[in-house]
Amino acid sequence: MTHAADLPAWAAWIVALLLLLGAGITLIGSLGLLRLRGFYQRAHAPTLGTTLGTAFIIGASMLCFSLLQMRPLLHEVLILGFVTITTPVTLMLLVRAALFRDTAEGRIEDHGPHGGPQPSNDE
């Protein structure tokens, strides 16, 4: 099924570079998930890493298969659109649910709509 040998050398280098860059950024985001302490800090690193890493990996896929099939392939744009839209929405829903839980359990003081909640230092 693969015709990777038909890919020109310059394109293979670019595809490999984009894949490595995307994988590296996604790995950095995953490491942020492991290294950061609180839930609110952990929520940001994988979100940003996943979105940007996915963009580079999709760019590599688009370039590779467009060159192999001699026509522009844009299927991956749909994947990028779904990831770009769903990842921040998921982050927002998770953080709001955690904020509601922490406020209800008294771990965060609610200062109203203008002051913003402040996390306690108990954790």
Side-chain angles (χ1 to χ4, degrees), residues 98-108:
L99 186 63
F100 177 77
R101 180 200 62 199
D102 290 345
T103 304
E105 293 178 356
R107 289 191 230 169
I108 295 178

Side-chain angles (χ1 to χ4, degrees), residues 74-120:
L74 302 175
H75 303 103
E76 290 88 351
V77 173
L78 284 175
I79 297 170
L80 182 62
F82 287 132
V83 169
T84 303
I85 291 170
T86 58
T87 302
V89 170
T90 304
L91 167 74
M92 185 183 68
L93 291 175
L94 286 172
V95 169
R96 282 188 177 196
L99 186 63
F100 177 77
R101 180 200 62 199
D102 290 345
T103 304
E105 293 178 356
R107 289 191 230 169
I108 295 178
E109 295 178 27
D110 189 7
H111 294 285
H114 301 294
Q118 298 294 320
S120 64

